[in-house]
C-alpha cells in the first residue's frame, strides 16, 4: 500500500471515530440533550461577549478568554449551535488524531487506532458536563504527543515551542491546571541537561519555550489591554482559580474511581517485561511519573467534577499503547518508523 493510500485510510478511521463521538455532543441537533447549568452559563457569557459586553467587567465568568472567545465565535453567524457543532467536530478530529499519533509511537497502526477510539468514545458525554474540560482534553492530547516525541527522540525544538504554547493556552483557559505544564517544562530542562544536550542546542530549548509563551501571551495581553479588563481577568479568573484549589484527596478518589486506573498497573507490568527483555524503558518510566504529577494537579481543581476523571484519560494513551506493543511482535505487526 502506498503512503498516500495509507494516510487516507488513517484519516478516514479518525473521521469515523470523531463522528461517533460527535453523536454524544450537547450541540447535536438530532439528539435530546439537556445542558447542565455550567454549560448554559458558559454559552450565555460567550453570547453576551459576542454582543459587545465586556468580559469580566460587565459579564461575570471564572474561565479564561480562550473558552469564551471560542464559543463566542460560534455565535457570529447564528444564534444556534450548528457552528458550535462544526467547531467542536474539528477540535475532536485533531484530538483523536494526536492521540492516535501518540499511540503510534509505541504500537502498530491498528492498535493505535484501537487505543485512540477506546479512550475517546467511551463516556465522552461526561467530559462535556462541566466547564473547560473538553477543551483541556484537546490541549492535553496535543501535549501528550509533544511529551512522547521528546521522550522517544530527545530534544526537538518545535515540540518544546508547542509545549510552551499549550502552557499559555491553559493559563488563559483555566489557570489552575497550569502547574502541570510548568512541571513539564522544568522536567524537560533537567532531562535534556542530563541527556547531554549542551551549548547552542540547550539554549534553543529555552528560546523555543520563551517563543511559545510569547506566541500566546502577546495577543492575549493585547486583548486584555484593548478591552481594559486585565485587572478583572486577574481577579476573577486567575485569583478565583488559584483560591479554589484544594481537596486533593477527594479529587484523587474521583480520578481513581474508574476501570481505566488499571492501566497504571499495566504500565508498570510493561516496564518490568521490557526491562527483562533488555528494551529501553526510560521513556515509559518518565511517562509514569508524568501521569502521577498530572493526577495530583487535576485533583487540586476545587470542584472535583466527575468530568475531571474523564480528562485524566488523555494520559492513558501511552499505557494502553505500550500494552499492545507486547503483542505486536507475535502478530507480526511493527511500529512505524518515525523521522526526527
Amino acid at each position: 500500500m502506498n503512503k498516500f493510500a495509507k494516510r487516507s485510510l488513517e484519516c478516514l478511521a479518525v473521521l469515523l471515530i470523531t463522528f461517533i463521538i460527535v453523536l454524544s455532543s450537547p450541540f447535536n441537533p438530532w439528539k435530546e440533550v439537556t445542558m447542565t447549568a455550567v454549560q448554559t452559563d458558559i454559552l450565555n457569557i460567550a453570547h453576551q461577549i459576542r454582543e459587545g459586553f465586556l468580559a469580566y467587567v460587565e459579564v461575570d465568568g471564572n474561565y479564561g478568554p480562550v473558552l469564551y472567545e471560542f464559543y463566542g465565535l460560534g455565535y457570529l453567524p447564528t444564534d444556534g449551535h450548528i457552528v458550535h457543532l462544526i467547531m467542536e467536530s474539528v477540535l475532536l478530529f485533531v484530538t483523536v488524531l494526536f492521540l492516535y499519533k501518540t499511540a503510534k509511537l509505541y504500537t502498530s497502526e491498528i492498535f493505535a487506532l484501537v487505543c485512540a477510539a477506546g479512550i475517546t468514545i467511551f463516556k465522552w458525554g461526561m467530559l462535556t458536563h462541566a466547564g473547560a474540560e473538553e477543551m483541556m482534553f484537546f490541549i492535553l492530547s496535543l501535549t501528550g504527543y509533544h511529551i512522547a516525541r521528546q521522550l522517544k527522540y530527545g530534544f526537538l525544538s518545535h515540540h518544546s515551542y508547542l509545549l510552551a504554547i499549550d502552557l499559555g493556552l491553559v493559563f488563559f483557559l483555566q489557570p489552575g491546571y497550569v502547574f502541570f505544564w510548568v512541571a513539564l517544562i522544568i522536567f524537560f530542562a533537567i532531562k535534556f541537561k542530563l541527556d547531554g544536550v549542551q551549548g547552542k542546542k540547550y539554549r534553543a530549548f529555552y528560546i523555543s519555550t520563551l517563543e511559545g509563551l510569547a506566541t500566546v501571551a502577546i495577543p492575549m495581553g493585547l486583548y486584555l489591554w484593548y478591552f481594559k479588563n486585565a485587572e478583572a481577568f486577574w481577579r476573577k479568573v486567575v485569583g478565583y482559580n488559584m483560591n479554589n484549589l484544594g481537596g486533593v484527596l477527594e479529587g484523587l478518589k474521583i480520578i481513581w474511581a474508574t476501570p481505566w486506573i488499571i492501566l497504571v498497573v499495566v504500565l508498570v507490568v510493561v516496564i518490568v517485561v521490557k526491562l527483562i527483555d533488555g528494551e529501553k524503558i526510560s521513556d515509559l518510566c518518565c511517562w509514569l511519573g508524568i501521569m502521577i504529577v498530572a493526577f495530583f494537579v487535576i485533583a487540586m481543581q476545587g470542584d472535583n467534577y466527575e468530568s475531571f476523571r474523564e480528562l485524566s484519560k488523555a494520559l492513558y494513551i501511552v499505557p494502553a499503547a505500550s500494552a499492545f506493543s507486547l503483542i505486536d511482535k507475535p502478530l507480526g505487526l511493527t511500529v512505524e518508523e518515525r523521522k526526527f
Side-chain angles (χ1 to χ4, degrees), residues 60-77:
D60 278 329
N62 301 125
Y63 296 107
V66 170
L67 185 71
Y68 296 133
E69 290 298 332
F70 176 80
Y71 287 113
L73 287 173
Y75 280 121
L76 285 178

Side-chain angles (χ1 to χ4, degrees), residues 184-248:
L184 283 176
I185 289 175
I186 294 172
F187 162 74
F188 277 116
I190 297 172
K191 182 181 185 301
F192 294 148
K193 192 70 173 179
L194 294 176
D195 288 346
V197 178
Q198 297 178 353
K200 183 182 294 186
K201 192 173 181 181
Y202 190 65
R203 289 194 296 274
F205 166 73
Y206 289 102
I207 293 172
S208 298
T209 300
L210 290 174
E211 287 175 343
L213 294 174
T215 299
V216 178
I218 291 174
M220 294 309 302
L222 290 173
Y223 167 90
L224 295 171
W225 170 79
Y226 180 80
F227 290 107
K228 298 180 174 60
N229 56 356
E231 187 275 333
F233 163 78
W234 192 264
R235 177 167 43 86
K236 292 189 178 181
V237 179
V238 179
Y240 173 85
N241 279 271
M242 296 305 175
N243 291 330
N244 203 39
L245 297 177
V248 176

